[in-house]
Amino acid sequence: MTYQKKSSSFQLFWQLVREEFIGFIALFKDKVINQGIWVAVSVFSTVYLMGKQFDVASGFGLFTLTGCIATTGLFEAYPNIFAFVQDFEGDRRISYYLTLPLASWMIFAKQMVCMALRGMAIGFAIIPLGKLVLWHEFILSDVAWFKFALVFILANLFIGAFTLWLATMIMSIQKLGNLWARFIFPVWFLCGFQFSWATLHNVVPPLAYSMLLNPMTYVMEGIRATVIGQEGYLNIWVCIGMLILFTLFFAWHSISRLKKRLDAV
Amino acid sequence: MKIINRNRFYWNVFKALCQEEALIFSRIFWDKLINWAISIAVNVICLSYLFSKQFSLGADFPMFAFAGSIAASGLFEAYYVCFTLVGDYEGDKAISYYLTLPVPALLVFIKIMFCIMVRAMLAALVALIVGKIVLWNALPFATIDWFGFFLIFLIGNLFMGIFGVWLSTMISSGLKRENLWCRYIFPFWYFSGLQYTWFMMLKLSAPVAYFVLLNPLTYVMEGTRAAMIGQVEYLNIWFCTGMLMFFTILAFWHTMVGLKKRLDFVS
């Protein structure tokens, strides 16, 4: 009986994920085009124009591309947070889902999983584009694909949990305007989007150690270690371990806050 | 006499509209100030001290990158206002109220452009102060051509003010606002010379370099760098100023044509 109950909850959970994903497919083309333009323009300009301007050695392009791949999910965070906060203060569509015969934590977990899947879908679409722009500089056979897939999935799951957590921290839609400039942008830029943790450690060691508290650091370092190679980056297994810890923490904390905020059973 | 009284009336209405905008902006002013300061500080620290070390970009890179950041700071304000305007055209149409006022419609739009210009100038000013604090000796104020900088600063931000409104007229009602940044503004910004000089582009590909001269932001970038770093290696500052004025007038004219079509108002 308990097994049947658990099995039907799981089925309902995946139905909800499927429902959300079908809605996302309508937006997928637009999102991929937007992200694709961002990646192509950034990488092309950085490698072929800035690289020539400052006579930079090779490897510059792949470094930039891996930063873009790692960041893809984070760019989805802001509109998702906006949608959540708007829903909390407006229609409260989420209340309908809380009436379903499913534990409330599964409803919130479904949101995280959906955000992770969206980030992964867009991120995977970017990889072939990166190959087209960089060609010889991006050798697909050099990528540790199993480890890359692991880090990539974990990174997007973390971003899903992180997005939900941020949505619970924003008390009103008026405060949302400050979120990008004061929180997401510094988290993104200081995590190593344009430099490795090793470089940060050489220049400002205290800041480097404080950035170990920034989960995005492990996303960046992990992706780079699997695509470019372990040398010069944080150990991949440390990155994976820390990402799991951060994901669990943000998932737990956001679910408990949501249960209080929405008065869910 | 009648004309003087009428013009005085229009001026008073324009002042009142600007005061209204200033009052609204004053409520978010400190928030904006903090956001601008954090964004520029993080950007400058990462680019100048970390990115340049990562790839050994040389001692000139911090100033080069910072001048580009100053030049582009108004673009974000223009984008923000454009985003708001497009939402208004397709939603509440609050602008229709202003078009019912007993003043030429031109005055209403000049007020919007002027307000974007002031916001853009404030953002650039904050960027300059914060940049100096972060870069300190790497940003020597004594070597800046302040007259040239001020000229480019003024005309560049005036162009941004008009550009924000122009862009709002070019966005079709079918285009989603979310696509505005990635498909229009971002390429426009990146291919204006954000990370390279025009002369470097000319060495790589002359046809593309001449094509890039059609991008007005190129002149803002090159002019700002010429004033802050020195004329060598950049487009002539007077040429940049002249082209910016030309594009500003062209954009203004085209904006008014586009607004008349979009909002169907009587002048």
Side-chain angles (χ1 to χ4, degrees):
Chain A
M1 187 75 177
T2 314
Y3 172 76
Q4 277 173 332
K5 193 177 168 184
K6 277 186 184 163
S7 171
S8 66
S9 293
F10 220 55
Q11 275 179 330
L12 184 54
F13 177 83
W14 285 113
Q15 276 290 96
L16 291 173
V17 169
R18 210 172 136 253
E19 176 218 8
E20 190 96 16
F21 210 68
I22 286 169
F24 171 67
I25 285 169
L27 308 169
F28 182 66
K29 192 179 114 192
D30 266 337
K31 296 236 178 230
V32 168
I33 290 171
N34 291 345
Q35 278 293 101
I37 290 172
W38 176 66
V39 171
V41 169
S42 301
V43 175
F44 182 86
S45 177
T46 305
V47 175
Y48 298 113
L49 302 172
M50 185 183 183
K52 285 276 182 291
Q53 178 75 42
F54 294 97
D55 203 21
V56 184
S58 66
F60 193 34
L62 201 54
F63 186 91
T64 306
L65 178 67
T66 47
C68 292
I69 293 170
T71 311
T72 308
L74 192 65
F75 280 177
E76 287 297 298
Y78 189 77
N80 285 329
I81 294 166
F82 183 84
F84 275 128
V85 176
Q86 200 175 38
D87 190 50
F88 293 157
E89 294 192 353
D91 297 338
R92 285 245 173 155
R93 250 183 78 220
I94 197 160
S95 302
Y96 158 72
Y97 292 103
L98 291 170
T99 64
L100 294 173
L102 205 62
S104 57
W105 71 266
M106 286 184 91
I107 302 292
F108 305 134
K110 163 229 146 195
Q111 301 281 25
M112 279 179 228
V113 169
C114 290
M115 283 188 280
L117 287 172
R118 285 202 282 259
M120 280 192 273
I122 300 169
F124 271 127
I126 297 305
I127 294 167
L129 179 68
K131 173 65 181 171
L132 270 170
V133 175
L134 291 177
W135 206 247
H136 292 299
E137 204 181 318
F138 183 18
I139 302 167
L140 293 172
S141 57
D142 286 349
V143 178
W145 287 108
F146 172 71
K147 288 178 192 169
F148 174 80
L150 202 58
V151 175
F152 191 67
I153 291 167
L154 275 170
N156 281 286
L157 274 170
F158 158 73
I159 289 169
F162 187 58
T163 303
L164 200 62
W165 180 78
L166 281 174
T168 66
M169 301 302 274
I170 305 291
M171 285 303 149
S172 78
I173 213 154
Q174 279 77 28
K175 296 292 173 193
L176 210 56
N178 299 334
L179 180 66
W180 177 263
R182 296 187 198 187
F183 196 75
I184 298 180
F185 179 73
V187 160
W188 168 41
F189 248 57
L190 290 170
C191 75
F193 178 63
Q194 295 174 318
F195 50 88
S196 65
W197 187 83
T199 300
L200 181 62
H201 185 255
N202 285 338
V203 177
V204 193
L207 185 60
Y209 289 119
S210 70
M211 279 302 117
L212 290 178
L213 296 170
N214 179 353
M216 283 303 295
T217 303
Y218 302 102
V219 175
M220 290 286 171
E221 292 284 307
I223 297 277
R224 285 185 178 133
T226 57
V227 176
I228 301 173
Q230 185 61 78
E231 200 186 320
Y233 304 104
L234 289 175
N235 184 278
I236 181 83
W237 300 111
V238 168
C239 294
I240 288 170
M242 291 304 291
L243 274 175
I244 291 171
L245 272 171
F246 275 115
T247 305
L248 289 171
F249 170 74
F250 282 112
W252 163 78
H253 200 240
S254 53
I255 287 171
S256 35
R257 283 183 67 89
L258 277 169
K259 275 183 169 173
K260 267 190 212 160
R261 190 161 174 179
L262 300 173
D263 201 23
V265 174
Chain B
M1 189 67 183
K2 213 176 171 181
I3 293 167
I4 294 169
N5 284 340
R6 189 182 63 190
N7 288 343
R8 198 174 287 160
F9 172 73
Y10 289 164
W11 169 245
N12 287 337
V13 172
F14 179 77
K15 244 179 29 182
L17 290 173
C18 290
Q19 276 168 350
E20 178 210 14
E21 193 76 31
L23 187 65
I24 295 168
F25 185 68
S26 67
R27 293 201 180 119
I28 56 168
F29 174 70
W30 289 112
D31 272 336
K32 275 277 185 191
L33 199 73
I34 293 167
N35 294 346
W36 288 331
I38 291 172
S39 302
I40 200 73
V42 168
N43 194 32
V44 172
I45 288 169
C46 289
L47 276 177
S48 306
Y49 296 116
L50 301 167
F51 184 57
S52 62
K53 281 277 182 299
Q54 178 78 36
F55 295 102
S56 307
L57 297 177
D60 296 334
F61 182 75
M63 191 69 168
F64 178 89
F66 180 66
S69 300
I70 291 263
S73 51
L75 187 65
F76 298 97
E77 288 304 304
Y79 163 66
Y80 173 78
V81 178
C82 172
F83 194 86
T84 312
L85 281 172
V86 172
D88 187 53
Y89 296 160
E90 297 181 5
D92 296 338
K93 285 219 176 159
I95 197 153
S96 303
Y97 158 73
Y98 294 100
L99 295 173
T100 64
L101 294 173
V103 291
L106 182 71
L107 208 63
V108 174
F109 298 114
I110 288 175
K111 168 233 142 193
I112 296 174
M113 292 168 192
F114 176 71
C115 292
I116 300 175
M117 175 185 153
V118 170
R119 285 168 74 131
M121 284 166 74
L122 276 171
L125 220 58
V126 169
L128 189 64
I129 295 165
V130 172
K132 176 62 180 170
I133 294 169
V134 173
L135 291 174
W136 207 246
N137 287 332
L139 176 55
F141 272 0
T143 57
I144 294 175
D145 170 14
W146 286 106
F147 179 71
F149 176 79
F150 178 72
L151 212 57
I152 289 286
F153 180 76
L154 201 68
I155 300 171
N157 285 300
L158 176 61
F159 171 77
M160 294 298 182
I162 295 168
F163 178 69
V165 186
W166 175 79
L167 202 59
S168 73
T169 67
M170 298 303 286
I171 306 300
S172 67
S173 54
L175 180 81
K176 293 167 198 148
R177 283 190 291 167
E178 299 78 39
N179 298 340
L180 178 62
W181 176 261
C182 277
R183 298 190 197 188
Y184 293 86
I185 297 183
F186 184 76
F188 172 76
W189 173 39
Y190 254 67
F191 287 129
S192 65
L194 177 69
Q195 298 173 317
Y196 52 90
T197 64
W198 185 81
F199 284 108
M200 201 286 306
M201 177 62 98
L202 187 68
K203 276 185 216 162
L204 276 181
S205 170
V208 174
Y210 288 118
F211 180 71
V212 157
L213 287 178
L214 295 171
N215 180 350
L217 202 54
T218 303
Y219 302 103
V220 183
M221 289 283 176
E222 290 283 311
T224 306
R225 285 182 179 136
M228 291 183 79
I229 301 171
Q231 187 60 79
V232 178
E233 292 180 13
Y234 303 104
L235 287 173
N236 184 279
I237 195 165
W238 303 110
F239 174 64
C240 292
T241 309
M243 289 305 290
L244 263 176
M245 282 168 69
F246 167 73
F247 276 111
T248 301
I249 295 166
L250 182 69
F252 181 76
W253 165 77
H254 202 249
T255 303
M256 297 316 297
V257 167
L259 281 168
K260 218 167 179 180
K261 265 191 211 161
R262 185 112 187 215
L263 301 174
D264 197 26
F265 58 85
V266 176
S267 323

